Amino acid sequence: MTFLFTDIVGSTALWDQHPEAMTDALAEHDKRIGNIVDRLGGYVFTTAGDSFAVAFESATAALTSAVEILLATRNPVKGLDLPVRIGVHTGTATLRNGDYFGGAVNRAARISASAHAHQIVVSQPTVDQLGADPPDDVSLLDLGIHRLRGLAEPAHLHQVRHPELPAEHPRLRTVEGPDDTLPVQLTSFVGRSREVTDVGDLVRKNRMVTLSGAGGAGKTRLAVRVATQMVADFPDGLRMAELGAVGDADVLVEEVAQRFGVTPVGGEPLLTTLTETIGAQQVLLVLDNCEQIVGPVAGLCRNLLIRCPQLHVLATSRQRLGVTGEVVYRVPSLALPDPDIEPGAAMAYDAIRLFVERARLAEHAFEVTDDNVRHVVAICRHLDGIPLALELAAARIRSMSPAQIVQRLGQRFRLLTGADRTATPRQETLLSTIEWSHDLLDEAERTLFRRLGVFSGDFPLEAAEAACAGDDLDEFDVLDLIAALVDKSMVATGQGTDAATRYYLLESIREFAAGRLDDAAETATLRERHAEHFAHCAETLQAMQRAGELAEALRRLDADEAEYRGALRFSTGTRRHELAGRIIGGLGYLWYTAGLYREGCDWCRALLDDDPVLSDEIRAGVLHSYASVLSGDGHADRAIELSVEQVAIRRRLGDPERLAAALNNLGNHIVDMGDLEASSAVFDEAAELYRELGRSAELALVYCSLGYGQLVRGDYGDAEATYREALAHARDADHPMSIAVSMSGIGQSLTYACRGDAARPHLVEARERFAELNVYPGVVTGDTMLGLVDRDDDDPVAAARHWLSALNSPGRPWTEDETYSVLQYAASIIDDLPTAAVLVGAATAAYDAMAARPPAYVVADLAATRTRLVAELSTDEFGTQLRAGGRRTKDEAIATGTAALEAYLAAAERTETSHAD
């Protein structure tokens, strides 16, 4: 049978507006349709409200009836317009009690529901039944394949055309049609497997999900990917509306209504028709690029979600929409590798994979190799893993190497322009993408945004308040404004090690903000405020460290390291000497305990070489810092000169506590130069001052300094006793750093005295304490000494593991010679004798170049290893390898030692496995 279904479009509104007239009009409507159907042999098996369901034995009769029905109802009926739509389908059905049932009947009804006013839609089976003999003046327009609501099998649909009927209609109201599908992506979707899963789970559990993130973060691609994989979850289909060009609320509703094939009916508001059309359908609506029209989008979503109980919305926006029940998912940047990753391992990271795939579109032979991996990784890291930025950079591969791209990233806004002529203007370049977001900010938000460009890395709220408030921006407004910038994806958030929220700008966004800061002529003012704030922070860290809160002070230094560097660049570069001096004086001891000797030296030199005019207090602090890091960097002779000047200033200032600290520092440097007698008098004066002040913690450190001098000289018994006295004072003060240093000293004294069993518990505890304090030089010493204990305990494999850990530590050792002592210890156990000779040569050359002599134990151990190698290698080969080691830079020597220890451990593991088999 061929089934014909009719329906009056918008009848609900007509009944509401014209209840009396509708009664008469509907009676006339039914009469006209009934007459046509009877005349052409149709059987009306169902009427419901204003609808007819008619069965025909002939497809031609059904189609003729459909045309005549529309012609008969196209004019007003009893003064009312009654727009009719018709669906026709041919198939097999079951007749029971005068009614038809089955899939064909249901499909005819769904086809009718997909049509618009004055439109006839027919299925392919009906067209097949017509053959080559359609009714007079009738032609068919192929509408393609569509999925009908609630039906598993898609339908091939056609529109009936007739000279007296409208030819143009909106897209059909089907679940999915050729003009109403998700956009086809012309490039591959890379990575994001976790994000796709997470967002999919959110959409299933929540009716409103917004993907937010910075411009170019890949929100649209992620939304399309998620929607594509959720077809089965929404039997009534998917709809997607691109709102980037939509500017007002009316156009917004029209744009979304078009996705559902909804057009205005009579005087009924379009939103009402839209919600009635969606009704209880299980639909996923994707709204893309909502940020420029947030308020209207939020209002529309609220209305749709309230009135359409099965509707789910997935939106993309650079800021949250603020709809009740909305879940915001911040789209992260693509995963990035560490800078020194190998080529093979690099491809496991999404950012690298995306760059490479897009680069191959520009140059099909492009590969990540040993030669370019460092530069490819640098590109991805500098661009923060932002997909749009990576794609724009990858497009340059057709004319530039990765190394050349890296060199030009300083001009990224000129470099990263697109070649895709079909891209929207806001995505043609990296600059236009950021400008699009910036233009959506209000004036106060723009002010704070550009001022945040003063920061070099991530920062806490109080830093933003201190540096950015002022002029027309109130300090109390900063919190609300920064929260708004986070919501609008111009500022990102992270969590510090203390679980407090920290804020940061992606590198490209920060560069844009800094440019706006220059344009506003505020850079100098903001940089001074920034430097002043971090000078105060440096002084706070110094006070914390002196109060025994060293671990927290080091944590804060690490968290704000980039900001201190920025503050020092500004203050030294602009000759704000006092400001730079406050920062250097505050951070010096922390640089020393963290092993940041070279950096500390560079900043101190930058200040003092400029012949600064400093107050005595600030100059003394700078001298103390400079001497500490110089000594750690192997320049104890110069450190003594600076400490002597500092002691003189402290005597002049009459501050006994700081004088004692200066004397202790001076004594340490004298010990490093090997003059133990001269150091004793200096230490004695420092100790006496601390006794008078009742400062047990500092007194403990003086005893540790004395003990170290005895250790260097080889008086291991005296050193142990002195360190134990230091430990007593440290425990009396309950000072973590003093306890750790004392315990380490006892362990070293016992190790050098060949009492490894007694040394081990002291070294283990000291290492653990240093680790808790984040004092990496102490951790390195612990690994170095535990390796010696293991070696002397005839466990060279365990020793190798400790020494490898020491070489791979993120921090440097206390003294320059300690790194080379680890290399010479490694030479004492490895089986590769030529490499062992290279390591001995590197250590020998380094000790000869240092102003200070290494500890007596180190000298004796080196001599023993040389003797072994001379006995086992030929004289010529030993001399050749020794000279080769002497030519190694420090980094080269460390790399050689690391490789040798790794090879030794690998061979030991193979031997152990073989024995087990």
Side-chain angles (χ1 to χ4, degrees), residues 530-549 552-554 556-557 560 564 567-568 576-591 614-615 617-619 621-622 625 650 658:
H530 174 275
E532 179 63 41
H533 172 72
F534 282 98
H536 173 73
C537 290
E539 292 163 342
T540 300
L541 296 191
Q542 183 181 61
M544 292 174 63
Q545 161 251 310
R546 290 175 179 173
E549 300 177 56
E552 176 62 12
L554 286 169
R556 293 192 185 186
L557 170 63
D560 291 322
Y564 286 115
L568 283 167
R576 266 79 161 181
H577 294 146
E578 290 270 306
L579 196 54
R582 289 168 58 199
I583 299 172
I584 289 172
L587 299 183
Y589 184 77
L590 300 179
W591 284 333
L614 302 171
S615 67
E617 183 64 40
I618 290 179
R619 184 173 184 84
V622 171
S625 296
R650 292 299 182 190
R658 302 316 313 148

Side-chain angles (χ1 to χ4, degrees), residues 13 66 119 186 278 363 383 455 488 502 557 585 729 816 847:
Q119 185 179 26
L186 300 180
I278 298 173
E363 174 52 63
L383 298 177
F455 291 99
K488 295 180 179 180
R502 294 178 68 85
L557 170 63
H729 289 293
E816 183 74 7
Y847 298 151

Side-chain angles (χ1 to χ4, degrees), residues 440-489:
L440 299 176
L441 305 180
D442 64 31
E443 194 57 41
E445 290 166 350
R446 291 181 188 181
T447 298
L448 178 61
F449 169 71
R450 69 172 178 264
R451 291 181 181 180
L452 292 177
V454 76
F455 291 99
S456 303
D458 60 284
F459 51 88
L461 175 63
E462 55 269 21
E465 291 172 332
C468 300
D471 302 325
D472 54 345
L473 194 62
D474 191 274
E475 179 179 342
F476 296 102
D477 293 333
V478 170
L479 173 58
D480 291 337
L481 290 172
I482 204 169
L485 291 174
V486 170
D487 284 342
K488 295 180 179 180
S489 303

Side-chain angles (χ1 to χ4, degrees), residues 1-6 29-57 65 69 95-100 105:
M1 304 294 290
T2 297
F3 299 97
L4 178 152
F5 277 72
T6 74
H29 163 273
D30 292 351
K31 179 181 177 181
R32 292 180 185 179
I33 293 179
N35 289 336
I36 294 170
V37 169
D38 286 345
R39 179 165 48 82
L40 292 169
Y43 168 63
V44 178
F45 60 90
T46 299
T47 57
D50 51 41
S51 301
F52 275 76
V54 186
F56 290 87
E57 293 185 357
S65 294
I69 288 170
L95 180 64
R96 186 172 69 246
N97 297 326
D99 200 355
Y100 281 96
V105 177

Side-chain angles (χ1 to χ4, degrees), residues 687-708:
E688 185 59 32
L689 286 170
Y690 281 134
R691 287 192 192 94
E692 293 174 359
L693 293 167
R695 303 301 296 267
S696 296
E698 288 80 0
L699 183 59
L701 291 176
V702 174
Y703 277 106
C704 287
S705 299
L706 281 167
Y708 179 70

Side-chain angles (χ1 to χ4, degrees), residues 840-888:
V840 167
T844 301
Y847 298 151
D848 290 344
M850 293 177 189
R853 183 173 173 78
Y857 180 90
V858 174
V859 174
D861 183 88
L862 181 63
T865 301
R866 287 176 65 106
T867 299
R868 170 201 166 211
L869 293 174
V870 168
E872 298 188 24
L873 288 172
S874 69
T875 302
D876 287 345
E877 183 172 11
F878 177 73
T880 298
Q881 302 300 343
L882 197 71
R883 290 189 295 274
R887 293 191 293 269
R888 294 284 196 275

Side-chain angles (χ1 to χ4, degrees), residues 528-689:
E528 183 144 23
R529 289 181 192 165
H530 174 275
E532 179 63 41
H533 172 72
F534 282 98
H536 173 73
C537 290
E539 292 163 342
T540 300
L541 296 191
Q542 183 181 61
M544 292 174 63
Q545 161 251 310
R546 290 175 179 173
E549 300 177 56
L550 178 62
E552 176 62 12
L554 286 169
R555 185 197 66 75
R556 293 192 185 186
L557 170 63
D558 184 61
D560 291 322
E561 187 175 47
E563 303 314 317
Y564 286 115
R565 289 171 180 159
L568 283 167
R569 275 193 296 272
F570 168 76
S571 54
T572 57
T574 57
R575 308 192 81 232
R576 266 79 161 181
H577 294 146
E578 290 270 306
L579 196 54
R582 289 168 58 199
I583 299 172
I584 289 172
L587 299 183
Y589 184 77
L590 300 179
W591 284 333
Y592 173 72
T593 54
L596 301 174
Y597 312 132
R598 188 63 52 81
E599 179 171 5
C601 286
D602 289 344
W603 289 122
C604 293
R605 190 179 303 111
L607 174 61
L608 293 180
D609 285 357
D610 201 29
D611 194 23
V613 177
L614 302 171
S615 67
D616 278 352
E617 183 64 40
I618 290 179
R619 184 173 184 84
V622 171
L623 293 172
H624 191 95
S625 296
Y626 198 7
S628 297
V629 292
L630 269 174
S631 182
D633 204 38
H635 302 285
D637 48 350
R638 174 65 175 143
I640 290 174
E641 297 175 16
L642 299 174
S643 294
V644 167
E645 182 184 351
Q646 185 205 358
V647 167
I649 294 174
R650 292 299 182 190
R651 291 191 193 281
R652 186 164 64 247
L653 291 173
D655 182 347
E657 181 177 352
R658 302 316 313 148
L659 173 59
L663 288 166
N664 187 46
N665 219 28
L666 174 59
N668 280 320
H669 307 324
I670 295 174
V671 168
D672 288 340
M673 291 299 296
D675 192 349
L676 306 182
E677 300 303 326
S679 69
S680 295
V682 177
F683 286 138
D684 287 345
E685 183 180 0
E688 185 59 32
L689 286 170

